[in-house]
Amino acid sequence: MDRTLKGVAYVSVWVVIWGTVASLIDAVLLEREIYATASLGQAITFVGYGAATVVLAWRYAPRFLGNDEGSET
């Protein structure tokens, strides 16, 4: 697979993972009335999960993209 296409697919999968997990957690928090729609809490939930997803994607990139740069093992 072309390196660019592989990179785009990799990022796309992580965006879907982030959106799915953050939305599921958001739904639970909204249902339990922990915070309201369009509140700071909702923004923190999505930004927090976004940051966690970036860290995980960065960590696993060498394994899936075949790039040895940045590998800490």
Side-chain angles (χ1 to χ4, degrees):
M1 182 185 294
D2 180 281
R3 185 166 172 79
T4 301
L5 182 60
K6 196 174 186 180
V8 169
Y10 183 76
V11 170
S12 298
V13 167
W14 278 104
V15 169
V16 170
I17 290 170
W18 163 71
T20 302
V21 172
S23 293
L24 290 171
I25 297 300
D26 180 55
V28 170
L29 294 174
L30 286 171
E31 185 176 312
R32 293 184 180 179
E33 298 180 355
I34 304 297
Y35 55 64
T37 302
S39 67
L40 180 61
Q42 193 172 38
I44 290 170
T45 297
F46 279 91
V47 169
Y49 277 94
T53 302
V54 167
V55 169
L56 288 172
W58 192 275
R59 178 175 172 86
Y60 291 113
R63 180 179 297 173
F64 290 99
L65 298 176
N67 184 1
D68 291 333
E69 294 177 12
S71 178
E72 297 177 327
T73 57

